[in-house]
């Protein structure tokens, strides 16, 4: 009766955790999940987001620069993912009225001093972009591609300003974009006379506004006058940024009716890259990997079938002694490895990652984690990591008990703390560097406390629950008995050297993700949208198959060489793909990015180190379990005298 009772308890705990997950997901802000209908004249409030730059990778709050401010700055509701991404969404003085065009609205007038002029110049030098949001749609700048006719690409946000020279002068000046021509695209419902916003575009201008007399609220500009129908053009004199310079911020609003429906309004934003190149590269990569995997599987099946048939036909002990190969090490192949505790911890952590990635992929493919839900992907991944601690504890405890371990609480603590503590330490140092730069990307103390609470308050107890259940189950029995005295391993050929074999094993899994990795890095570090989760899921499946098969092949060659120390090597073989991932990240840094600041470089390599570490744990665990299943299968299939 004890067995069924434990199963009921486990099911009950899982149900409670699921309910907690659902409740926590409802507590967070999910923007843009339902359409909003606007009547003509309804107020449209523009929100401002962080200032971003691909040169520094350090986001800043919009109001860190002396832009025009509303009377009261209000932070919008944010989810955990938005905070970790550095998003700072606040209200702005830009207010429109639906389907009512406006021309030359004056927002405010600012006089710069040395400090504020320096701040603007620094942001212009680092090519910072201003991000805004209207009805959950990010502001984009349409740019016509010179190499393709009638092709327009969209860039998120507009530059703070630009650098240039006056005619006949060699001195470089800084100019600010102080006039914005907004275009709001809407889809109209003819029956209800309501409209839904389907596009939000801008054309920025730098213009030195002029006026007559003293400045007051009723002053009319001579460079931009709605009464005279005088609009701002590129021929105007630009607004220079310098000490004691006066800047007048203005904007126009145009409304354009569009045939695009609300459900398809993100399509324009997501179709930014060359889809044909993307599709061809992905399909080509997948076909090569599938072909190689099929050949490996065919060779393995035929070779193993022949070996097992030959071994089972041996009739005498003398014939068995004359045989060489993987059967001779049957008495040592299941001998516990060196440092088994650490292996158990890494395997449990890998199971935790595998569960997190698998469920995240399913949610993403079903469309729950689209870019319209800002921060949703990071929030879901973090919550899933916390709740998958249950399976991490279970996997590590089951393996630990198979190695005849007795101190399950010690192994549980290591599983709950080793990987998270390493990542948290790196994250804390990077966060301190970001905080030192006064960037909005620094995680606030309250959010840091929430992360620690999720770790200690939910993840650690779940790891203990999983370990308790896993350790209470009977240990897995080895298919063959282990000899008391270890067998001597013969001298190995050069190509079976552990380091060489491990490094060779990581090439194929890395090749499976190579193309997709480029687009993922581009979306993260060049601030572009990533949305082809269907392809990513296929690549993830191919990665699993590749890790499993390359590890099985190399493990088979190792056992045929009478080397039975396969436990750690099986983990490191596929896990070594993380080494190539980090090398590619370094190559991407020096060839694709324009980062020059030391802090930004440390930020990049720090986060990529965490990503590579996580990838090592994930791929290593996949290879380990594949090899574990393979060895148990082949040694249970032969007759052992």
């Amino acid at each position: 009766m004890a067995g069924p009772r434990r199963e009921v308890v486990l099911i009950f705990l899982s149900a409670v955790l699921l309910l907690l997950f659902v409740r926590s997901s409802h507590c967070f802000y999910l923007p843009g999940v339902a359409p909003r209908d606007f009547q003509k004249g309804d107020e449209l409030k523009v929100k401002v987001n962080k200032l971003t730059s691909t040169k520094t990778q350090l986001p800043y709050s919009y109001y860190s620069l002396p832009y025009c401010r509303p009377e009261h700055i209000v932070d919008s509701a944010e989810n955990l993912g938005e905070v970790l991404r550095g998003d700072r969404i606040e209200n702005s003085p830009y207010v429109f009225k639906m389907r009512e065009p406006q021309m030359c609205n004056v927002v405010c007038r600012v006089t710069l001093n040395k400090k504020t002029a320096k701040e603007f110049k620094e942001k212009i030098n680092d090519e910072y972009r201003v991000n805004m949001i209207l009805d959950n749609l990010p502001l984009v700048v349409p740019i016509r591609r010179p190499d393709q006719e009638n092709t327009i690409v969209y860039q998120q946000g507009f530059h703070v300003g630009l650098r240039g020279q006056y005619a006949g002068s060699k001195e470089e000046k800084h100019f600010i974009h102080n006039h914005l021509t907004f275009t709001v695209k809407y889809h109209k419902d003819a029956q209800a006379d309501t409209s839904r916003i389907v596009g939000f575009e801008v054309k920025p201008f730098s213009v030195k506004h002029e006026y007559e007399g003293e400045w007051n609220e009723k002053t009319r500009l001579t460079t931009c006058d709605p009464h005279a129908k005088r609009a701002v053009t590129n021929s105007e004199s630009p607004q220079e940024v310098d000490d004691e310079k006066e800047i007048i911020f203005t904007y126009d609003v145009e409304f354009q009716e569009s045939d695009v429906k609300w459900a398809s309004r993100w399509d324009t934003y997501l179709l930014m890259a060359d889809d044909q190149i993307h599709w061809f590269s992905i399909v080509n990569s997948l076909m090569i990997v599938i072909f190689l995997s099929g050949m490996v599987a065919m060779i393995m099946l035929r070779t193993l079938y022949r070996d097992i048939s030959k071994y089972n036909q041996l009739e005498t002990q003398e014939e068995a002694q004359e045989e060489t190969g993987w059967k001779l090490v049957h008495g040592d192949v299941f001998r516990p490895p060196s440092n088994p505790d650490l292996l158990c911890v890494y395997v449990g952590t890998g199971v935790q990652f595998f569960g997190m990635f698998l469920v995240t992929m399913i949610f993403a493919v079903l469309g729950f984690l689209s870019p319209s839900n800002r921060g949703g992907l990071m929030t879901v991944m973090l919550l899933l990591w916390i709740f998958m601690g249950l399976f991490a504890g279970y996997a590590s405890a089951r393996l630990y008990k198979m190695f005849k371990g007795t101190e399950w609480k010690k192994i549980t603590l290591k599983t709950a703390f080793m990987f998270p503590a390493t990542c948290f330490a790196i994250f804390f140092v990077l966060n301190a560097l970001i905080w030192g730069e006064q960037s909005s990307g620094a995680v606030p103390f309250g959010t840091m406390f929430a992360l620690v609470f999720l770790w200690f308050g939910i993840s650690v107890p779940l790891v203990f629950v999983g370990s308790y259940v896993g350790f209470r189950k009977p240990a897995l029995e080895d298919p063959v008995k282990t000899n008391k005295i270890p067998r001597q391993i013969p001298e190995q050929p050069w190509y079976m050297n552990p380091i060489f074999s491990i490094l060779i094993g990581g090439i194929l899994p890395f090749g499976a993700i190579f193309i997709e990795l480029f687009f993922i890095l581009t979306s993260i570090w060049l601030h572009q949208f990533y949305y082809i989760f269907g392809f990513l899921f296929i690549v993830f499946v191919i990665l699993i198959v590749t890790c499993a098969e390359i590890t099985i092949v190399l493990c088979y060659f190792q056992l045929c060489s009478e080397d039975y120390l396969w436990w750690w090597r099986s983990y490191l073989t596929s896990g070594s793909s993380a080494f190539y991932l980090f090398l590619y990240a370094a190559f991407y840094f020096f060839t694709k990015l324009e980062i020059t600041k030391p802090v930004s470089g440390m930020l990049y390599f720090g986060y990529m180190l965490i990503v590579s570490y996580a990838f090592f744990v994930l791929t290593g665990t996949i290879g380990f379990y594949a090899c574990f299943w393979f060895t148990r299968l082949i040694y249970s299939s032969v007759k052992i005298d």
Side-chain angles (χ1 to χ4, degrees), residues 52-117:
T52 56
S53 168
T54 56
K55 276 194 168 184
T56 68
Q57 301 295 336
L58 294 170
Y60 286 89
S61 168
Y62 176 82
Y63 294 113
S64 63
L65 291 179
Y67 279 119
C68 303
R69 296 169 175 256
E71 292 184 7
H72 302 285
I73 298 176
V74 180
D75 292 334
S76 295
E78 296 172 333
N79 57 43
L80 191 57
E82 282 183 316
V83 178
L84 295 176
R85 278 165 34 110
D87 285 346
R88 295 296 180 266
I89 301 171
E90 298 160 315
N91 60 325
S92 78
Y94 296 96
V95 180
F96 312 154
K97 291 189 180 295
M98 189 65 183
R99 288 158 48 195
E100 293 184 2
Q102 302 175 35
M103 179 182 286
C104 201
N105 272 16
V106 177
V107 187
C108 72
R109 170 175 162 270
V110 175
T111 302
L112 300 181
N113 53 36
K114 287 185 178 180
K115 180 182 177 183
T116 53

Side-chain angles (χ1 to χ4, degrees), residues 187-243:
H187 182 79
K188 186 177 179 182
D189 186 343
Q191 296 180 348
D193 196 34
T194 57
S195 304
R196 292 177 178 177
I197 296 174
V198 295
F200 187 34
E201 301 175 1
V202 70
K203 289 182 180 178
F205 295 92
S206 178
V207 53
K208 184 179 180 181
H209 284 302
E210 297 177 356
Y211 56 90
E212 297 177 355
E214 294 292 328
W215 176 264
N216 56 59
E217 293 182 359
K218 297 181 180 180
T219 299
R220 288 172 57 175
L221 303 176
T222 57
T223 48
C224 177
D225 191 354
H227 302 284
K229 302 294 182 181
R230 176 180 170 80
V232 172
T233 63
N234 284 322
S235 60
E236 307 287 347
S237 299
Q239 175 61 60
E240 187 180 336
V241 175
D242 213 341
D243 183 23

Side-chain angles (χ1 to χ4, degrees), residues 9-23 387:
V9 171
L10 186 59
I11 292 172
F12 174 75
L13 286 172
S14 301
V16 171
L17 292 174
L18 182 63
L19 288 172
L20 285 172
F21 176 76
V22 172
R23 285 181 60 84
F387 293 124

Side-chain angles (χ1 to χ4, degrees), residues 21 345-357 359-360 377-393 414-424 451 454-456 458-460 462-463 613-614 617-618:
F21 176 76
V345 170
Y346 272 117
V347 169
T349 307
V351 170
Q352 189 174 7
F353 263 113
F354 183 81
M356 179 194 74
F357 278 120
V359 178
T360 302
L377 179 63
M378 190 171 290
T379 303
V380 168
M381 289 182 69
L382 186 62
L383 290 175
L384 285 173
W385 163 263
I386 297 297
F387 293 124
M388 289 297 167
L390 186 71
F391 299 98
K414 289 182 179 179
T415 305
F417 286 99
M418 182 171 289
F419 182 87
T422 304
C423 292
F424 189 81
L451 293 175
L454 288 173
W455 179 13
F456 284 86
I458 301 178
S459 179
V460 173
L462 286 179
V463 175
Y613 188 22
V617 173
L618 172 68

